[in-house]
Amino acid sequence: MEKSIIRCINLRLIYPAIAVIVRRKLKGRKMVTEAPIYTIKNAKLSFGLNPLFTDVDLYINRGDKICLVGRNGSGKSTLLKVIARDIEPDEGEFFVQPGIKVGYMPQEPNFDGFNTLREVVEAGLPKSDKDLTYMADMMIEYFQINEKQNPKQASGGECRKAALARVLISEPDILLLDEPTNHLDIATIEKLESSLQSFSGALIVISHDRAFLNHVSKTTFWLDRGVLRRNNKGFAFFEEWQDQCIEQEIIEQKALNKKIEEETEWLHKGVTARRKRNMGRLRRLQQLRQERREQIKQIGSVNLEIETAELRSKMVIEAKHVYKTFGEKEIVKDFSLRVLRGHKLGIVGPNGSGKTTLIKLLTKRLEPDSGFIRIGKNLEEAYFDQNRITLDPKKTLWKTLCNEGDHIWVRGHFRHVVAYLKDFLFKPEQAQMPVAALSGGEKNRLMLAVALARESNFLVLDEPTNDLDMDTLDLLQEVLGDYAGTVLIVSHDRDFMDKVATSLLYMKGDGTIFEHVGTYSELLEKLKNQPQKNQDKKIVRKEAEKSESKQKNKTAKLSFNEKYMLENLPKEIEKLEAENKAIEIALGNANLYTDDPQKFDELTQKLAANKQSLEEKENKWLEIQLKAEELEKA
């Protein structure tokens, strides 16, 4: 009874789900200066002959809110694993105050052995105290987790929420989070921000989401070329501090009559210069937004009876009274839009609202149920989707971009392939490396370079910011700012959309879509200030509809073979994914191609065959799952 009262009080106050944890930690605490609760001295770690970081010193105070930043491949995730003691460094001294508990959420959490997402969440509770299950209820309700779903069949967003709930509920003194916002929609990200701001323990977080880091961090760790720097200010001050560090480094090298490191010259100075140039692009973006407001005003005018020739010549996409449903779910409802040449249109909304479906409709990859969509003539499209672009692991970066010669045609002029690779933060010596030797983040960077090198006047980017480091995001903003064509973008990254999109299409999730001319941050503020509907009535209505649906007579059934595949395909898919991961790790060995070319070829062929088989099995499982859901609704 007492537990139920506590739970109801917290929910009624709409306090973050970790309120109980916060109260426990604050109870009886005196605000006095304390020694660090966690210290590492002179940590070194190498992979093979390559040092990842050297002489790393760090300390963590109680209540610190730290963001860990650095380029892809710099060792951020590895350092977090060292702090979590999942990896032991080659050298280093550790000191942890007695009783200090460390909670760690990796970038790819392991859910083996769990049958439901509720089991995942409850795994964070002490095994000796079953009376705390009410805290799992609170977490599940707070993050809106589908608690009965099997982790193997859950979406990336659902799994991420369960992993976050598991580590938060464990009441750690030091919380380590690696890319916690991946796969999360903006509503869940804001809930996570609220929880972390209320969290009384220490926090170290890795994320590419600038807005998220601005809101949760008060200290910055910068891992750069094996050296860890500390700034006792949050990420909001990182760029200013980074510029100061770079300038000081250049002065010191010049004072010692040393040649400035090539890496410092082409990377850090280039990043700083791009940031300064982006101020001019921001002014241009504001001008484009004003032009878009005028376009909407003109298009929406009742006096506009005849379209002008100029309007027709600039038309890229026109949609009128478009409807699209999947089963009983309305994805797009009575949607009309005109997109003119040069417009950079962002598409935002909660997970599952249909953003990718809308892109497929607007690019004619999918036909609407009613209404019509037409696209302009002479459009040359480049489509960026990490699942669509395939890199040949045996090809070098040079051959991937330029199969013949040494120059590549990029947006109207020739570029030397090495110079173009340097634009995407690759070192000159990496040009002749095989793709298989790249890290995951570097492969994403190369895929982006391939997509943006294609001749196009219409660019479609579906979640382009996932797993890109901040230097690459700066580069992508610069490229899109200079791009003369039309762009469609799907992304949850608020800072990125603020700096790139001319206007935004917001999908509420019930089929309605409206256009907002302005920044993503302004849109979110506008949505917060709107009167909230009674959510409880919605939930009750949905539960009643589900209950009615279950009572209906179900005449159709899955066949025995379909039931067998529905149950067993996830196991086969998981086995293939594990095998592919092992092969990719083996191919990631830079020496394999030269030491054992036959094995390299065998592994490459095996990986290609596995990926094809994996796609077939995933498609088959999805087909049967959709059928099963339709039968459930019938």
Side-chain angles (χ1 to χ4, degrees), residues 160-224:
R160 183 69 53 174
K161 289 190 290 185
L164 284 166
R166 175 174 62 178
V167 73
L168 284 170
I169 208 174
S170 68
E171 301 190 30
D173 298 282
I174 301 174
L175 179 61
L176 310 176
L177 300 178
D178 194 347
E179 294 288 1
T181 63
N182 273 1
H183 309 294
L184 298 184
D185 58 26
I186 189 63
T188 308
I189 291 173
E190 289 183 332
K191 286 184 178 181
L192 177 60
E193 287 176 357
S194 177
S195 295
L196 296 180
Q197 287 164 353
S198 302
F199 179 60
S200 64
L203 167 71
I204 302 182
V205 60
I206 298 172
S207 177
H208 64 272
D209 187 327
R210 282 180 164 89
F212 174 76
L213 293 182
N214 284 342
H215 293 155
V216 302
S217 68
K218 295 180 180 178
T219 301
T220 304
F221 285 173
W222 177 24
L223 187 57
D224 177 44

Side-chain angles (χ1 to χ4, degrees), residues 256-315:
L256 294 171
N257 295 318
K258 289 184 177 180
K259 179 184 176 184
I260 297 174
E261 284 186 66
E262 184 179 9
E263 187 173 349
T264 303
E265 185 70 30
W266 66 258
L267 172 60
H268 291 310
K269 285 188 71 177
V271 169
T272 305
R274 276 201 301 275
R275 193 178 298 134
K276 290 176 180 176
R277 290 198 298 271
N278 282 340
M279 297 303 296
R281 290 188 178 86
L282 181 59
R283 289 190 290 271
R284 172 61 179 156
L285 179 58
Q286 291 167 345
Q287 180 183 343
L288 288 172
R289 284 175 178 152
Q290 184 57 40
E291 291 175 4
R292 181 59 181 172
R293 290 187 185 96
E294 295 301 320
Q295 290 169 3
I296 292 173
K297 191 183 299 182
Q298 182 190 27
I299 292 169
S301 172
V302 294
N303 298 322
L304 188 64
E305 298 178 358
I306 303 175
E307 296 174 341
T308 65
E310 181 184 9
L311 190 60
R312 282 188 178 278
S313 67
K314 289 184 177 180
M315 190 72 68

Side-chain angles (χ1 to χ4, degrees), residues 514-576:
F514 69 85
E515 183 173 5
H516 167 78
V517 181
T519 68
Y520 198 178
S521 301
E522 292 167 349
L523 171 63
L524 293 173
E525 193 64 30
K526 178 180 178 182
L527 293 171
K528 285 178 184 176
N529 293 332
Q530 286 181 349
Q532 298 294 312
K533 294 183 179 179
N534 192 326
Q535 296 297 322
D536 293 338
K537 289 183 179 179
K538 284 186 176 183
I539 294 170
V540 170
R541 186 166 63 250
K542 286 181 180 179
E543 290 299 326
E545 290 171 356
K546 287 180 184 178
S547 178
E548 283 181 29
S549 176
K550 290 179 180 178
Q551 298 301 321
K552 291 182 181 178
N553 184 30
K554 301 172 186 176
T555 55
K557 296 180 180 179
L558 293 176
S559 69
F560 175 82
N561 192 39
E562 287 173 328
K563 288 180 180 178
Y564 178 84
M565 286 192 287
L566 191 62
E567 183 178 353
N568 289 278
L569 278 176
K571 300 174 186 176
E572 296 175 19
I573 290 169
E574 185 180 16
K575 184 178 178 181
L576 274 174

Side-chain angles (χ1 to χ4, degrees), residues 88-270:
E88 290 298 320
D90 301 329
E91 298 179 26
E93 299 177 12
F94 289 77
F95 172 75
V96 184
Q97 281 191 15
I100 292 298
K101 182 178 180 182
V102 178
Y104 169 53
M105 190 199 78
Q107 193 168 343
E108 296 180 4
N110 185 355
F111 293 153
D112 289 345
F114 297 107
N115 296 314
T116 66
L117 292 179
R118 182 178 184 85
E119 290 181 9
V120 173
V121 176
E122 289 183 341
L125 293 170
K127 294 181 180 179
S128 59
D129 195 345
K130 296 182 179 179
D131 292 335
L132 295 177
T133 54
Y134 73 95
M135 293 175 66
D137 294 333
M138 293 171 66
M139 283 289 186
I140 288 167
E141 186 166 351
Y142 183 64
F143 283 115
Q144 294 294 295
I145 298 169
N146 186 354
E147 59 180 311
K148 296 181 180 179
Q149 191 162 24
N150 189 308
K152 296 175 183 177
Q153 300 170 4
S155 67
E158 285 293 328
C159 289
R160 183 69 53 174
K161 289 190 290 185
L164 284 166
R166 175 174 62 178
V167 73
L168 284 170
I169 208 174
S170 68
E171 301 190 30
D173 298 282
I174 301 174
L175 179 61
L176 310 176
L177 300 178
D178 194 347
E179 294 288 1
T181 63
N182 273 1
H183 309 294
L184 298 184
D185 58 26
I186 189 63
T188 308
I189 291 173
E190 289 183 332
K191 286 184 178 181
L192 177 60
E193 287 176 357
S194 177
S195 295
L196 296 180
Q197 287 164 353
S198 302
F199 179 60
S200 64
L203 167 71
I204 302 182
V205 60
I206 298 172
S207 177
H208 64 272
D209 187 327
R210 282 180 164 89
F212 174 76
L213 293 182
N214 284 342
H215 293 155
V216 302
S217 68
K218 295 180 180 178
T219 301
T220 304
F221 285 173
W222 177 24
L223 187 57
D224 177 44
R225 291 166 289 164
V227 177
L228 184 70
R229 295 180 171 95
R230 178 185 181 113
N231 184 30
N232 292 321
K233 291 184 178 180
F235 182 77
F237 300 91
F238 171 67
E239 291 182 349
E240 177 186 351
W241 173 55
Q242 182 188 40
D243 291 344
Q244 291 172 356
C245 291
I246 293 166
E247 290 171 6
Q248 183 62 32
E249 182 178 348
I250 292 172
I251 291 170
E252 290 173 358
Q253 288 172 346
K254 284 183 176 179
L256 294 171
N257 295 318
K258 289 184 177 180
K259 179 184 176 184
I260 297 174
E261 284 186 66
E262 184 179 9
E263 187 173 349
T264 303
E265 185 70 30
W266 66 258
L267 172 60
H268 291 310
K269 285 188 71 177

Side-chain angles (χ1 to χ4, degrees), residues 356 359 383-386 460-465 488-490:
T356 299
I359 272 195
Y383 196 108
F384 176 82
D385 181 348
Q386 292 183 16
V460 183
L461 303 172
D462 193 354
E463 293 289 2
T465 62
L488 291 183
I489 318 164
V490 173

Side-chain angles (χ1 to χ4, degrees), residues 576 608-618:
L576 274 174
N610 278 5
K611 285 185 176 180
Q612 183 176 351
S613 176
L614 182 63
E615 184 177 359
E616 291 172 355
K617 290 180 185 295
E618 286 176 337

